[in-house]
Amino acid sequence: DQQVKQNSPSLSVQEGRISILNCDYTNSMFDYFLWYKKYPAEGPTFLISISSIKDKNEDGRFTVFLNKSAKHLSLHIVPSQPGDSAVYFCAASETSYDKVIFGPGTSLSVIP
Amino acid sequence: IAGITQAPTSQILAAGRRMTLRCTQDMRHNAMYWYRQDLGLGLRLIHYSNTAGTTGKGEVPDGYSVSRANTDDFPLTLASAVPSQTSVYFCASSANRGYEQFFGPGTRLTVL
């Protein structure tokens, strides 16, 4: 049973609009969450993280929101750019020092 | 600065053969990881090493072994490959366990 779920395998967004990628988790002990971005034929790269003591973390165009009671987090990209087209993995761990569990990924396409 | 290198880039292997995937990092990171990426399942941890001389099992360790003789190298060995081990394999490292992970470009392995 997957502990980290990304129920949308793919998402298409117009350039300039907001992209919202969703992630749900089942393990209530998770308290550290990360997003990784992956281009084809490359390894994933770290994008942004959030710990459970926060409900929002922002880095430029990227913002992650965490709702612990709903066991849900989301990544917002505003404005979306064609270069943002990639697979986005949500990941979680019980502490920042524990094993990281990855979701299946969401493929984002930003249409010019 | 290379970061993390993996070899080979891709390989086709007959079932039953032995194969070692190589991983080298030049960032002097303590922790290293091996993941496999399969469609719909995301990245799953195979084995990890918190520091040279130590290794641990991840989510899907069966059929794989690792060693960590020094800080830089973390080879993954398939003793007797089976078709279910067909996957893309990513090596990653982090300064310490749980910190941001840096990924290599991956090895695409096909077992026939």
Side-chain angles (χ1 to χ4, degrees):
Chain A
D1 187 36
Q2 286 187 337
Q3 297 186 67
V4 178
K5 303 179 183 182
Q6 294 177 258
N7 293 322
S8 296
S10 62
L11 176 68
S12 288
V13 173
Q14 286 290 130
E15 180 179 4
R17 305 294 292 270
I18 184 171
S19 295
I20 300 176
L21 294 92
N22 293 304
C23 177
D24 297 288
Y25 60 95
T26 58
N27 186 345
S28 59
M29 299 300 292
F30 285 150
D31 61 5
Y32 186 61
F33 305 90
L34 311 95
W35 285 92
Y36 280 81
K37 176 179 178 178
K38 183 185 179 304
Y39 292 118
E42 295 183 11
T45 56
F46 170 76
L47 189 58
I48 193 169
S49 65
I50 188 168
S51 70
S52 60
I53 62 173
K54 292 184 172 184
D55 55 16
K56 176 183 174 181
N57 190 25
E58 192 171 353
D59 183 2
R61 295 185 297 113
F62 302 90
T63 303
V64 57
F65 295 92
L66 175 62
N67 183 334
K68 282 213 77 176
S69 61
K71 296 191 182 68
H72 178 82
L73 64 155
S74 60
L75 175 69
H76 292 211
I77 306 173
V78 184
S80 301
Q81 300 174 354
D84 296 329
S85 297
V87 176
Y88 290 79
F89 290 102
C90 173
S93 66
E94 292 190 14
T95 69
S96 63
Y97 301 98
D98 209 332
K99 287 176 252 186
V100 175
I101 307 296
F102 285 81
T106 295
S107 178
L108 173 67
S109 295
V110 180
I111 304 163
Chain B
I1 298 175
I4 296 188
T5 57
Q6 292 185 236
T9 302
S10 65
Q11 182 75 45
I12 299 174
L13 189 67
R17 298 298 294 269
R18 180 184 179 90
M19 176 73 191
T20 295
L21 307 185
R22 300 185 297 279
C23 174
T24 299
Q25 54 107 354
D26 63 3
M27 296 175 283
R28 308 302 293 172
H29 282 170
N30 285 322
M32 296 187 75
Y33 316 84
W34 273 105
Y35 293 89
R36 58 178 290 173
Q37 183 193 2
D38 302 290
L39 194 63
L41 297 176
L43 295 158
R44 292 182 293 168
L45 182 65
I46 304 171
H47 285 287
Y48 65 92
S49 168
N50 289 339
T51 189
T54 69
T55 62
K57 294 182 180 180
E59 298 174 73
V60 288
D62 294 343
Y64 305 94
S65 63
V66 292
S67 62
R68 186 89 184 277
N70 57 61
T71 297
D72 298 344
D73 301 300
F74 191 42
L76 176 74
T77 298
L78 291 68
S80 179
V82 295
S84 62
Q85 291 177 312
T86 294
S87 187
V88 181
Y89 291 85
F90 289 100
C91 180
S93 72
S94 61
N96 285 294
R97 182 79 178 282
Y99 281 62
E100 172 193 344
Q101 295 184 23
F102 293 83
F103 284 80
T107 293
R108 181 174 294 276
L109 181 68
T110 303
V111 182
L112 301 176

